[in-house]
Amino acid sequence: SSIDAMITENGIETPLGVLAIEQVAKGEEILAEALDCFQKGGNPTLLQQLSSEFFTNIPHKFGRNKPPVLNTKAMFEEKEQLLELLRDMVTISSQKAPKGTKEKKNQQNVLFTKDVDHQFSSLGCSIRYIEKNSTEYKNMANSIIESVKNSHGGKPPTVKRIFAVEREEEVKGFDHSVQNEKMLFHGSRIQNWVGLLSRGILLPKTVVSMGIHRTDEGWLGSGIYFGEADTAAGYAQSGKRSVKYMLGVQVALGKMKDYSKITYGLKSPPNGYDSCHGVMGTEFYDHEYVVYRQEQR
């Protein structure tokens, strides 16, 4: 809602035309340069120039108001999240309707279509509803309760629905040899779910290799982070229906290295270990579990 754009059968249309991945990449490039300037002290003239270039490349709804200068950490984080969402939306909008759907010949943009089968197929993963009276549902609901007990205790999140999500490449690539598999949880903002379902939870270095600018690094370095259910629910954000979404993920932790102090800069676990664990009650408020290989989730 913050950008000056409209979803049509042609794609995401802006005053500059249909939004292309190259335009998003240019926005990421300008934003990265502006962030670098900001972190070095922020030359006001240069920041104003780069901010103007960014908002020209990624049109926003300012009306008659002058575009702001990007000069706070919160503003940069907000625009990075926006660009990541736009990249995901532009990527899936190129998906064509699958055979057997009711899609019109010329209406192939998944963002514009009302064909639910087309929308789900564009994500490239299988999504299956789990019946509430099934053993599978009860086992997953119990996993959430036990996870909260293993954390801070208290009332567990109220489960509304459970879906089984499977990405074929992740199933085939999962490394069972690591062992010590544990059901852990991952919460995220509503706008991140197009990316989570279409490309999975990726290592920061993999995301960067796809052209997405990332500046975030967790307390145990650049890995994939998981937590207990109450922690994940805290990271999730409600949408318009006041419902949060979180992933329950089977994670191969192997031999864990426990940390009581925040340790930035890790790219892998120490020799002889397969994962890292920030121990709750130390410098870590919550349990934090980190793996550094995508084959472990």
Side-chain angles (χ1 to χ4, degrees):
S1 61
S2 64
I3 68 168
D4 188 3
M6 180 180 297
I7 295 176
T8 72
E9 62 182 24
N10 297 319
I12 303 173
E13 294 201 27
T14 74
L16 301 178
V18 176
L19 189 68
I21 201 70
E22 293 80 10
Q23 190 176 341
V24 177
K26 182 63 177 177
E28 291 168 337
E29 180 184 325
I30 297 170
L31 191 66
E33 188 176 350
L35 177 60
D36 181 65
C37 175
F38 170 72
Q39 291 175 333
K40 290 179 178 178
N43 179 295
T45 303
L46 181 57
L47 270 180
Q48 185 171 15
Q49 175 190 328
L50 291 170
S51 298
S52 177
E53 289 179 13
F54 175 78
F55 290 118
T56 298
N57 190 76
I58 307 293
H60 282 55
K61 295 178 181 177
F62 294 123
R64 296 179 180 276
N65 297 322
K66 187 177 180 180
V69 176
L70 298 169
N71 57 9
T72 68
K73 183 179 179 181
M75 293 177 74
F76 282 105
E77 289 178 349
E78 177 189 339
K79 298 312 172 188
E80 284 180 358
Q81 293 165 13
L82 170 65
L83 290 173
E84 189 167 341
L85 174 61
L86 288 176
R87 177 178 281 274
D88 289 333
M89 292 178 69
V90 170
T91 299
I92 70 162
S93 70
S94 63
Q95 300 294 323
K96 294 184 178 181
K99 293 181 179 180
T101 61
K102 300 176 182 179
E103 197 67 79
K104 294 179 181 179
K105 184 176 181 181
N106 295 326
Q107 192 178 343
Q108 295 184 334
N109 177 16
V110 67
L111 301 177
F112 190 72
T113 180
K114 294 182 180 180
D115 191 308
V116 177
D117 289 334
H118 183 187
Q119 292 174 337
F120 277 104
S121 68
S122 69
L123 295 173
C125 65
S126 67
I127 303 176
R128 173 174 56 86
Y129 175 71
I130 300 177
E131 298 290 344
K132 286 193 174 183
N133 60 355
S134 68
T135 300
E136 188 178 10
Y137 184 100
K138 293 174 182 177
N139 287 342
M140 188 64 197
N142 286 334
S143 294
I144 293 173
I145 293 172
E146 292 302 315
S147 178
V148 173
K149 288 181 180 178
N150 187 47
S151 184
H152 296 285
K155 184 180 178 180
T158 301
V159 179
K160 295 289 188 181
R161 297 179 183 82
I162 299 177
F163 297 86
V165 177
E166 185 175 287
R167 303 185 72 254
E168 186 177 355
E169 60 267 38
E170 291 179 1
V171 174
K172 289 181 178 179
F174 188 77
D175 189 355
H176 291 280
S177 67
V178 176
Q179 301 183 341
N180 188 21
E181 295 180 19
K182 181 180 176 68
M183 175 63 68
L184 293 171
F185 299 88
H186 184 91
S188 193
R189 297 177 299 274
I190 289 288
Q191 59 263 41
N192 289 347
W193 280 83
V194 172
L196 286 173
L197 293 174
S198 63
R199 49 185 168 81
I201 310 173
L202 300 178
L203 286 164
K205 64 182 180 182
T206 304
V207 175
V208 170
S209 72
M210 296 170 64
I212 302 172
H213 180 67
R214 293 288 291 271
T215 60
D216 56 319
E217 182 173 293
W219 286 354
L220 290 172
S222 298
I224 302 176
Y225 283 71
F226 300 95
E228 303 294 352
D230 54 344
T231 303
Y235 278 99
Q237 293 179 358
S238 299
K240 292 180 179 179
R241 298 181 181 180
S242 299
V243 175
K244 295 182 177 183
Y245 299 88
M246 66 181 184
L247 289 171
V249 184
Q250 197 71 12
V251 184
L253 294 169
K255 187 177 180 181
M256 291 191 300
K257 170 64 176 177
D258 289 338
Y259 283 85
S260 59
K261 294 185 178 181
I262 295 169
T263 307
Y264 293 111
L266 294 174
K267 305 296 182 185
S268 63
N271 290 336
Y273 293 89
D274 303 294
S275 62
C276 294
H277 172 217
V279 180
M280 184 181 75
T282 59
E283 287 190 0
F284 298 88
Y285 179 73
D286 304 297
H287 286 299
E288 294 199 16
Y289 304 89
V290 190
V291 296
Y292 304 83
R293 294 175 56 236
Q294 289 181 187
E295 294 79 10
Q296 287 178 243
R297 92 295 181 246

